[in-house]
């Protein structure tokens, strides 16, 4: 009688090593997952974006690694917009944000964002590591500052001759979607059309949404997206068959990215020198003149209530605002960032950080390879860059 063989139950650790042995025999090599977790954060972000397609486990690990690294190293992104004849060369550099050094080098310096002809009234909008702008060819460019991928969205159809276009870029945290909202208005009849493009939509096309119902002309001032709503200033006026732009009123509006509807907000001040900012996760309006400055913070998203904070800035800083300098934004710590509008080839590039609590300002020189450029170089800063984005743009449409 043959003796019965006893089944040997392996411990979880022995089972794991047994699986490794099988894989090594089949594929020839095995890298422990703990070692993979140690290797991936050391690789370039562009490589990490490609490795996300290996598996869901890798994708999750890579996204967490990028976010952890970014939160520990908040940065100031600076766009250099060089105009050469009829063309533009757009470059992007990154600098450490929370530093008390007098001078800092660029961590990522001068990689090209776009070569070509751009809209002379171009405005850059920054959301969670993605930058959007409208080109002169009436196409929106989306650039991922992490992966350094750029994509041109499809042309808006129908494309009307002699029309005015303006765009807004935002992120809806509830549905985890990025959207571009575009407003098209004909030059003579003021007929308006509103369209929305959702990044990652398989259809890859613009959708027409409900019109605002009144004459709407957004001002060339800052736009800010907070908690799924885009806030902007615009001239608004009612009309029947004939528009009356001269009778319009300057208001603060919001566009809800999820419902794709507009809403009015009461401005705390009717001054034209108002800059919209994300002030510690709340909507803020920074008002300034040659003599004083303050920031109005909307305490409650559903209530028309504003809280005023006085800013005790020097007269030299106040006089330069709106002329040679601009408010670039606010850091997570509440520091207001002020930067030059244009690069002065005879002077170093700098950023000034004003702390309302301590009523102090510090000045940091930003080292740049663009110093001494003969061309006109416009400067745009984004100090709220604390979330890296591993989102791949390759599947949206053709890349630039």
């Amino acid at each position: 009688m043959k003796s019965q063989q006893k089944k040997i139950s392996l411990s979880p650790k022995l089972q794991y090593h047994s699986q490794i042995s099988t894989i090594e025999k089949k594929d020839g090599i095995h890298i422990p997952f703990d070692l993979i977790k140690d290797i991936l954060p050391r690789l370039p972000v562009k490589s990490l974006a490609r490795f996300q397609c290996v598996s869901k486990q890798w994708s999750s690990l890579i996204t967490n690694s990028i976010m952890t690294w970014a939160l520990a190293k908040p940065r100031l992104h600076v766009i250099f917009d060089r105009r050469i004849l009829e063309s533009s060369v757009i470059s992007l550099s990154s600098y450490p944000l929370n530093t008390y050094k007098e001078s800092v080098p660029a961590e990522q310096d001068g990689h090209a964002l776009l070569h070509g002809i751009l809209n002379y009234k171009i405005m850059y909008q920054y959301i969670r590591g993605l930058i959007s702008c409208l080109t002169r060819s009436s196409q929106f460019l989306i650039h991922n500052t992490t992966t350094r991928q750029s994509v041109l969205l499809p042309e808006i159809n129908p494309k009307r001759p002699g029309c005015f276009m303006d765009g807004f870029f935002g992120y809806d945290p509830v549905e985890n979607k990025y959207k571009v909202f575009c407003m098209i208005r004909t030059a003579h009849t003021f007929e308006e059309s509103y369209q929305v493009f959702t990044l990652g939509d398989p259809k890859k096309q613009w959708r027409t949404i409900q019109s605002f119902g009144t004459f709407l002309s957004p001002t060339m001032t800052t736009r800010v997206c907070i908690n799924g709503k885009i806030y902007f200033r615009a001239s608004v006026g009612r009309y029947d068959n004939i528009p009356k732009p001269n009778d319009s009123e300057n208001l603060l509006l919001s566009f809800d990215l999820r419902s794709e509807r507009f809403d009015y907000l009461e401005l705390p001040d009717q001054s034209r020198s108002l800059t919209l900012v994300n002030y510690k996760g709340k909507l803020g309006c920074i008002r300034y003149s040659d003599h004083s400055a303050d920031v109005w913070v909307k305490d409650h998203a559903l209530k028309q209530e504003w809280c005023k904070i006085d800013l005790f800035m020097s007269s030299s800083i106040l006089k330069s605002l709106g002329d040679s300098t601009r408010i670039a934004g606010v850091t997570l710590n509440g520091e207001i960032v002020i930067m030059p509008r244009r690069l002065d080839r005879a002077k170093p590039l700098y950023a000034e950080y004003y702390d309302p609590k301590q009523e102090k300002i510090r000045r940091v020189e930003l080292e740049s390879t663009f110093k001494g450029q003969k061309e006109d170089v416009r400067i745009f800063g984004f100090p709220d860059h604390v979330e890296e984005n591993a989102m791949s743009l390759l599947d949206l449409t053709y890349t630039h």
Side-chain angles (χ1 to χ4, degrees):
M1 187 174 180
K2 294 182 180 180
S3 59
Q4 295 181 347
Q5 294 181 350
K6 294 183 179 180
K7 292 183 179 180
I8 301 176
S9 61
L10 300 177
S11 65
K13 187 174 183 180
L14 290 176
Q15 289 179 4
Y16 173 75
H17 286 289
S18 176
Q19 292 174 358
I20 290 179
S21 179
T22 303
I23 295 173
E24 288 176 340
K25 290 178 182 179
K26 182 179 179 180
D27 299 332
I29 189 171
H30 171 78
I31 302 176
F33 190 66
D34 290 341
L35 183 58
I36 292 175
K37 289 196 295 184
D38 185 57
I39 292 174
L40 289 179
R42 304 171 187 266
L43 299 178
V45 176
K46 198 167 184 177
S47 299
L48 293 177
R50 292 199 305 268
F51 294 159
Q52 282 186 305
C53 63
V54 172
S55 67
K56 291 184 179 180
Q57 190 178 37
W58 276 49
S59 178
S60 176
L61 174 62
I62 289 171
T63 301
N64 291 336
S65 297
I66 290 176
M67 298 295 281
T68 301
W69 176 82
L71 288 170
K73 295 181 64 177
R75 293 179 292 168
L76 171 65
H77 268 297
V78 179
I79 286 181
F80 297 89
D81 183 345
R82 290 182 290 160
R83 298 303 167 96
I84 305 174
L85 298 177
E86 294 298 324
S87 297
S88 294
V89 179
I90 314 301
S91 302
L92 184 68
S93 295
S94 301
Y95 299 88
L97 191 58
N98 293 339
T99 177
Y100 289 88
K101 297 180 181 179
E102 294 183 357
S103 177
V104 293
E107 293 181 341
Q108 296 179 4
D109 190 29
H111 73 271
L113 175 64
L114 181 68
H115 294 266
I117 300 176
L118 292 183
N119 191 323
Y120 72 98
K121 287 186 177 180
I122 188 171
M123 290 187 66
Y124 299 93
Q125 298 175 73
Y126 171 87
I127 300 291
R128 290 169 50 91
L130 299 181
I131 293 175
S132 169
C133 63
L134 177 62
T135 68
R136 186 173 288 182
S137 61
S138 299
Q139 283 183 272
F140 286 90
L141 173 79
I142 307 295
H143 177 78
N144 189 319
T145 60
T146 303
T147 64
R148 299 190 180 186
Q149 294 174 322
S150 293
V151 65
L152 282 169
L153 299 187
E155 291 185 357
I156 296 178
N157 194 21
K159 193 175 179 181
R160 305 175 184 178
C163 66
F164 168 83
M165 292 181 61
D166 202 349
F168 305 83
F169 183 46
Y171 172 73
D172 175 19
V174 176
E175 296 185 351
N176 190 28
K177 291 181 179 179
Y178 297 86
K179 293 183 179 181
V180 178
F181 160 64
C182 179
M183 187 194 74
I184 307 170
R185 186 177 69 243
T186 57
H188 302 291
T189 63
F190 286 87
E191 181 183 355
E192 294 178 327
S193 171
Y194 297 78
Q195 300 195 38
V196 170
F197 187 93
T198 303
L199 273 65
D201 186 351
K203 295 182 180 179
K204 300 180 182 179
Q205 63 184 18
W206 291 88
R207 296 180 292 103
T208 301
I209 63 173
Q210 184 177 358
S211 175
F212 186 64
T214 64
F215 172 82
L216 176 61
S217 178
T219 59
M220 296 300 293
T221 55
T222 55
R223 295 93 188 264
V224 60
C225 182
I226 305 173
N227 297 327
K229 290 186 177 182
I230 300 175
Y231 297 93
F232 62 99
R233 296 182 68 184
S235 297
V236 180
R238 297 187 178 279
Y239 62 86
D240 296 319
N241 295 326
I242 301 175
K244 299 179 180 179
N246 295 331
D247 297 336
S248 62
E249 182 181 3
N250 198 311
L251 298 177
L252 175 61
L253 301 176
S254 68
F255 179 72
D256 191 301
L257 289 163
R258 191 146 53 99
S259 65
E260 298 180 351
R261 293 185 178 181
F262 296 91
D263 196 8
Y264 292 93
L265 289 88
E266 293 182 6
L267 275 169
D269 191 288
Q270 285 293 334
S271 171
R272 291 187 176 272
S273 301
L274 275 179
T275 301
L276 303 181
V277 295
N278 184 335
Y279 194 86
K280 298 182 178 180
K282 298 179 180 179
L283 176 62
C285 295
I286 299 180
R287 183 194 64 85
Y288 54 87
S289 66
D290 291 346
H291 309 288
S292 64
D294 45 53
V295 55
W296 295 81
V297 182
K298 199 167 186 299
D299 279 338
H300 197 284
L302 301 178
K303 296 180 181 180
Q304 299 284 358
E305 296 178 356
W306 297 84
C307 174
K308 180 183 176 183
I309 302 174
D310 291 322
L311 305 177
F312 299 96
M313 298 180 177
S314 65
S315 59
S316 60
I317 293 178
L318 292 175
K319 289 180 180 179
S320 68
L321 281 173
D323 181 20
S324 59
T325 63
R326 64 159 54 96
I327 295 173
V330 180
T331 68
L332 285 181
N333 297 329
E335 288 183 310
I336 298 171
V337 184
I338 303 172
M339 295 190 66
R341 290 178 175 269
R342 282 177 163 79
L343 185 65
D344 188 337
R345 56 181 174 174
K347 299 178 181 179
L349 176 63
Y350 66 90
E352 292 179 309
Y353 300 84
Y354 174 78
D355 188 338
K357 289 185 177 181
Q358 299 185 10
E359 298 180 8
K360 293 182 179 179
I361 193 165
R362 56 189 177 91
R363 185 184 179 110
V364 179
E365 179 181 342
L366 308 176
E367 299 177 11
S368 171
T369 56
F370 295 96
K371 184 178 180 180
Q373 289 282 343
K374 295 182 180 181
E375 298 86 7
D376 179 27
V377 182
R378 296 195 301 168
I379 297 171
F380 301 85
F382 305 99
D384 55 346
H385 188 82
V386 294
E387 292 187 78
E388 294 289 331
N389 198 318
M391 176 184 183
S392 176
L393 301 177
L394 292 176
D395 59 344
L396 297 183
T397 181
Y398 63 94
T399 56
H400 175 84

